[in-house]
């Protein structure tokens, strides 16, 4: 990672826990559950993107920190819920027992709910104009909602016992994965007060998200039967296209994302290097 992206990452790692609401001793376990899933171990791709989209226009990543934290809170909630027995039923996340294995199903569910609710308090706490905060809430709730990440998860669940075609897979990944990644880029633009670049940020986020998901499918495939998606026989770019074509498709989406960056009138070299790095990631 480049020095600037590492600065963004440090800003997140040093501050993310400060956004967790304090609790009273009788229900402190929910704070513990939230912190358990938020603690480092994730790549923090979304908050790093959010900070960088703000920094390239303002030279100030800090003003976007509450927005970046909000996106990471929603990402973390989606992982907790995705691991539950009623969803993917995964006992491990990032090599550690998943939330419901440590805290039980009910508290894992509530920790996810709490993260989702509090994400919007994070947005509202930003030291930005009311217009920026309202716009960020609108965008984040839409990208995380039924026509965003939730819709993608529904296609995923409905697709468990049937083969998805490429079109349906594309839509699923665009909603399930690209939507939240796109929201991070859009919120960075809003924090920078640069509404004019949102359409390009959306194109970048959508393409990066699709490449990211295909790489995720390839990494799952490499894991084999140990991976719950593979065990459940879910359709992926690898099962539909074969490994070589899946890799080629991820490269194509990466190039589309970089083409979008080239339309931005600011120094996007750090974003470009992150985009290329994500294509080569091993976890
Ligand atoms: C349960 C509402 C609800 C949504 C679930 C995001 C999601 C939808 C499910 C998680 C499982 C999954 C494979 C989602 C696709 C997006 C994705 C690749 C998530 C993993 O993101 P990373 O790699 O995670 O950024 P880390 O661990 O680095 O934070």
């Amino acid at each position: 990672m480049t020095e600037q992206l590492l600065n963004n990452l440090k800003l997140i790692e040093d501050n993310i826990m400060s956004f967790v609401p304090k609790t009273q001793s009788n229900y402190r376990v929910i704070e513990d559950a939230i912190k358990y899933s938020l603690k480092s171990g994730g790549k923090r791709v979304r908050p790093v993107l959010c900070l960088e989209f703000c920094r390239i226009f303002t030279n100030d990543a800090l003003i976007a920190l509450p927005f970046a934290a909000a996106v990471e809170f929603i990402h973390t909630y989606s992982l907790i819920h995705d691991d539950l027995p009623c969803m993917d039923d995964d006992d491990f996340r990032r090599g550690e027992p998943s939330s419901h294995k440590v805290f039980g199903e009910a508290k894992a569910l509530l920790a996810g709910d709490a993260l989702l609710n509090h994400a919007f308090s994070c947005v509202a706490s930003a030291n930005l104009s009311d217009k920026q905060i309202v716009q960020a809430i609108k965008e984040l709730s839409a990208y995380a909602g039924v026509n965003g990440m939730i819709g993608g998860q529904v296609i995923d669940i409905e697709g468990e016992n049937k083969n998805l075609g490429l079109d349906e897979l594309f839509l699923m990944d665009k909603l399930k994965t690209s939507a939240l990644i796109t929201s991070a880029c859009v919120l960075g633009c809003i924090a920078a007060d640069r509404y004019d670049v949102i359409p390009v940020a959306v194109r970048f986020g959508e393409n990066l998200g699709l490449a990211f998901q295909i790489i995720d499918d390839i990494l799952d495939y490499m894991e084999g039967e140990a991976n719950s998606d593979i065990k459940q026989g879910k359709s992926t770019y690898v099962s539909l296209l074969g490994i070589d074509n899946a890799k080629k498709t991820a490269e194509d989406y990466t190039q589309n994302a970089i083409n979008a960056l080239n339309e931005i009138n600011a120094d996007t070299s750090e974003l470009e290097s992150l985009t290329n790095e994500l294509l080569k990631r091993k976890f």
Side-chain angles (χ1 to χ4, degrees), residues 194-211:
R194 286 295 303 267
Y195 297 83
D196 57 312
V197 267
I198 289 178
V200 188
V202 168
R203 198 140 39 83
F204 168 75
E206 279 182 4
N207 281 286
L208 176 65
L210 288 163

Side-chain angles (χ1 to χ4, degrees), residues 76-267:
T76 307
Y77 120 73
S78 79
L79 299 182
I80 297 175
H81 283 192
D82 190 60
D83 289 338
L84 286 169
C86 62
M87 298 245 185
D88 261 7
D89 195 10
D90 271 315
D91 290 353
F92 290 92
R93 166 74 52 190
R94 301 170 181 148
E96 306 260 354
S98 32
S99 179
H100 65 274
K101 283 281 145 191
V102 179
F103 298 95
E105 264 180 73
K107 273 168 275 184
L109 186 76
L110 288 168
D113 294 342
L115 280 158
L116 173 58
N117 277 297
H118 199 66
F120 292 97
S121 302
C122 291
V123 173
S125 76
N127 193 14
L128 292 164
S129 71
D130 288 354
K131 179 184 169 212
Q132 284 165 297
I133 287 171
V134 169
Q135 190 68 26
I137 287 173
K138 266 191 189 169
E139 297 281 1
L140 187 55
S141 59
Y143 280 112
V146 283
N147 289 306
M149 187 178 71
I150 301 251
Q153 182 73 351
V154 174
I155 299 179
D156 193 340
I157 291 165
E158 298 278 289
E160 264 168 30
N161 298 314
K162 59 171 186 173
N163 291 326
L164 298 180
L166 257 188
D167 286 355
E168 232 177 334
L169 188 63
F170 172 83
L171 180 63
M172 178 178 88
D173 291 347
K174 190 172 154 215
L175 298 176
K176 192 176 81 166
T177 309
S178 286
L180 203 60
I181 289 180
T182 303
S183 78
C185 306
V186 169
L187 263 60
C189 297
I190 295 173
D193 214 4
R194 286 295 303 267
Y195 297 83
D196 57 312
V197 267
I198 289 178
V200 188
V202 168
R203 198 140 39 83
F204 168 75
E206 279 182 4
N207 281 286
L208 176 65
L210 288 163
F212 189 85
Q213 183 57 54
I214 296 171
I215 299 299
D216 210 63
D217 290 346
I218 293 172
L219 295 173
D220 286 355
Y221 171 81
M222 306 285 198
E223 251 185 33
E225 288 283 312
N227 183 278
S228 66
D229 286 0
I230 301 293
K231 211 161 61 196
Q232 289 163 18
K234 286 187 182 175
S235 303
T236 68
Y237 275 90
V238 181
S239 68
L240 261 62
L241 296 178
I243 189 99
D244 290 340
N245 275 330
K247 274 185 190 157
K248 169 82 177 62
T249 309
E251 282 162 15
D252 290 347
Y253 283 127
T254 298
Q255 191 52 52
N256 293 345
I258 289 171
N259 292 345
L261 288 180
N262 289 336
E263 287 175 38
I264 297 176
N265 195 9
D267 179 7

Side-chain angles (χ1 to χ4, degrees), residues 28-102:
R28 178 118 328 129
V29 64
I30 198 69
E31 190 179 327
D32 297 341
I34 291 169
K35 287 180 172 164
Y36 177 80
S37 292
L38 264 185
K39 71 180 188 302
S40 56
K43 293 181 285 302
R44 312 289 198 207
V45 171
R46 297 156 192 80
V48 165
L49 281 170
C50 182
L51 296 181
E52 187 58 14
F53 261 90
C54 181
R55 191 200 66 83
I56 59 173
F57 300 116
T58 60
N59 207 21
D60 182 3
L62 193 63
I63 50 169
L65 186 60
F67 288 3
V71 178
E72 189 67 1
F73 273 35
I74 292 190
H75 167 63
T76 307
Y77 120 73
S78 79
L79 299 182
I80 297 175
H81 283 192
D82 190 60
D83 289 338
L84 286 169
C86 62
M87 298 245 185
D88 261 7
D89 195 10
D90 271 315
D91 290 353
F92 290 92
R93 166 74 52 190
R94 301 170 181 148
E96 306 260 354
S98 32
S99 179
H100 65 274
K101 283 281 145 191
V102 179

